[in-house]
Amino acid sequence: MVSLSVGKDFIILTFTDISVVYYKDNGECGERLLEHVCVDCKESEKNEASSSICSSVSSNGKYFASCLHKDLYIWRVKDWSLMSKRLINRSASALVFSGNSENIAVADKSGDVYLYSVESADTKGELILGHVSMLLDLVITADSKYIITCDRDEKIRVSHYPNAYNIQSYCLGHDEFVTSICILAENENVLVSGSGDGTLRFWEFVSGKQLLCVSCILDNETNEHNKPLISAVVSATYNCVLKETITLDSIPISIKFCDSELWVLKENLEEPLSVYSYSTVNNEFSLNKSVCSINSVLMKRSAHLENVFKKDRYPSTLYKRRFDNVQEYLKRKMMRIETEASKSKRQLSDSEPN
């Protein structure tokens, strides 16, 4: 897998073995490598790490963090020096910086969230909350008052931060796992969630009230589970109305908003990155050609990208298998009745005189 992070003057692609920073230098695109090696990983663990990579840039733009398998890396953006590398308890599924950028919350596949200090590398992670199923995403509000988590069991939990044992509310309504959540930049009281049930839902998260549910089924294009999958939701500072639908030339892998630009990493070796800039004059997004220089440099990582593109990224394992036990019971019951009837008929036939 690959994770896309976007800062004010740079973007970062995180692979299993390296993070690649792309930045503008005198009008040209520069590249810097941030290496991370899982020293004690077995081959099976490396494969697991490749299927779960998460990264994030702090809101103040000073730090960059990435998590691969059980390794948490924190870099200082100013000189791209590695501040710390820490071993976490379980394989991470998502991470996010706190509003003041002093801490990092890491969600893992067992359903727990641990809080780590950015500067104090020797401080152990603090367990602040837990779910009974796998966590898929989390956010911390800008005022650092709430931490919001979502899991495979269709639940969105709103907890107080950092005392997350104090639960504020639940946002319930999705029929499948909740893949992604974000808070609207235009209205920080509204949470947006995407799910495997093919819906986009808006919540007043403090009360847990659902404000709007939008079905994303278009032209009968569905997956094997008969529903589209909302893999990511992002927000920028615009009114919450449908601006437009952008048709891409390839399958999107990751999307990020930064200021007025929408960055899209897609399954296209010749042009893996696309940037759409929002114009307040035309009230629409338009393709920004300035990313061409990054794409040309990114071609040096074509082997990494090709390895990502050929992997099956569809999270079919997140869908729950549902069994109709009643029908199975009735079927076995009918077979038992027929067997007993046939046996009684044979016994009756054998007992009759010739």
Side-chain angles (χ1 to χ4, degrees):
M1 285 294 289
V2 61
S3 178
L4 171 67
S5 298
V6 181
K8 187 175 182 180
D9 301 313
F10 59 87
I11 70 162
I12 306 174
L13 294 181
T14 300
F15 301 94
T16 55
D17 55 344
I18 57 171
S19 290
V20 189
V21 184
Y22 297 96
Y23 57 91
K24 288 295 183 67
D25 183 14
N26 296 325
E28 299 293 329
C29 177
E31 179 187 73
R32 188 183 185 102
L33 302 183
L34 309 177
E35 295 187 5
H36 31 76
V37 180
C38 183
V39 179
D40 299 325
C41 286
K42 299 177 182 178
E43 192 64 33
S44 59
E45 293 174 338
K46 291 180 181 180
N47 292 334
E48 184 180 356
S50 67
S51 64
S52 179
I53 300 176
C54 46
S55 63
S56 180
V57 178
S58 63
S59 58
N60 61 11
K62 293 183 179 180
Y63 309 108
F64 167 69
S66 65
C67 220
L68 301 97
H69 188 51
K70 296 182 180 180
D71 291 323
L72 172 63
Y73 299 83
I74 303 176
W75 281 274
R76 196 184 308 276
V77 170
K78 182 179 180 180
D79 54 4
W80 294 112
S81 60
L82 180 62
M83 297 174 59
S84 64
K85 174 189 174 183
R86 312 178 199 185
L87 183 66
I88 61 178
N89 292 336
R90 295 177 179 84
S91 182
S93 55
L95 65 85
V96 66
F97 282 89
S98 60
N100 57 14
S101 301
E102 294 181 356
N103 298 290
I104 300 177
V106 179
D108 62 38
K109 294 182 177 180
S110 66
D112 295 330
V113 175
Y114 284 83
L115 195 64
Y116 296 88
S117 171
V118 172
E119 294 286 350
S120 303
D122 296 331
T123 305
K124 291 185 178 181
E126 176 188 1
L127 176 64
I128 60 173
L129 68 88
H131 286 229
V132 295
S133 64
M134 180 192 303
L135 287 174
L136 300 179
D137 200 6
L138 79 165
V139 295
I140 297 177
T141 57
D143 58 5
S144 295
K145 188 175 181 180
Y146 300 104
I147 180 171
I148 309 173
T149 49
C150 62
D151 63 24
R152 186 189 176 192
D153 285 343
E154 309 98 33
K155 294 193 305 297
I156 301 172
R157 170 178 161 178
V158 182
S159 309
H160 286 260
Y161 177 84
N163 300 322
Y165 53 80
N166 187 358
I167 301 175
Q168 174 66 28
S169 65
Y170 284 96
C171 301
L172 304 177
H174 282 294
D175 298 325
E176 290 288 354
F177 53 90
V178 184
T179 51
S180 182
I181 53 177
C182 77
I183 296 174
L184 285 184
E186 190 75 15
N187 186 343
E188 295 184 353
N189 296 318
V190 176
L191 177 78
V192 187
S193 61
S195 168
D197 64 8
T199 64
L200 195 65
R201 298 175 190 251
F202 296 77
W203 312 85
E204 186 183 78
F205 63 85
V206 174
S207 64
K209 178 183 178 181
Q210 180 176 297
L211 303 175
L212 180 66
C213 176
V214 180
S215 175
C216 297
I217 299 177
L218 298 174
D219 302 326
N220 296 322
E221 293 183 358
T222 58
N223 56 41
E224 60 179 315
H225 296 274
N226 298 321
K227 296 173 184 176
L229 170 66
I230 311 300
S231 60
V233 290
V234 293
S235 172
T237 54
Y238 311 117
N239 292 327
C240 187
V241 296
L242 179 61
K243 289 292 184 183
E244 61 182 298
T245 301
I246 300 175
T247 302
L248 302 174
D249 55 15
S250 305
I251 299 174
I253 297 176
S254 180
I255 57 175
K256 296 289 181 181
F257 259 121
C258 185
D259 295 332
S260 60
E261 293 182 332
L262 174 64
W263 291 76
V264 182
L265 177 64
K266 54 189 179 176
E267 194 175 294
N268 186 332
L269 282 176
E270 296 181 357
E271 191 177 283
L273 274 175
S274 292
V275 180
Y276 296 87
S277 300
Y278 183 73
S279 171
T280 55
V281 176
N282 300 325
N283 199 33
E284 65 179 8
F285 285 93
S286 58
L287 189 62
N288 189 335
K289 297 293 184 180
S290 63
V291 76
C292 293
S293 58
I294 298 180
N295 277 325
S296 61
V297 177
L298 188 55
M299 289 305 297
K300 294 193 297 184
R301 306 297 161 192
S302 59
H304 284 81
L305 290 172
E306 189 174 5
N307 186 48
V308 171
F309 296 161
K310 70 182 181 180
K311 291 183 181 294
D312 182 14
R313 297 179 308 281
Y314 188 79
S316 57
T317 56
L318 295 178
Y319 285 96
K320 296 179 181 178
R321 297 181 63 187
R322 291 178 169 83
F323 300 94
D324 190 347
N325 294 330
V326 174
Q327 293 298 323
E328 183 67 22
Y329 165 75
L330 292 176
K331 182 179 178 181
R332 291 198 306 268
K333 182 178 180 180
M334 289 300 300
M335 292 177 61
R336 185 172 65 252
I337 292 174
E338 291 175 358
T339 301
E340 291 177 353
S342 177
K343 183 178 179 180
S344 298
K345 187 176 181 180
R346 286 198 306 269
Q347 290 177 348
L348 183 60
S349 177
D350 294 340
S351 62
E352 290 179 355
N354 293 332

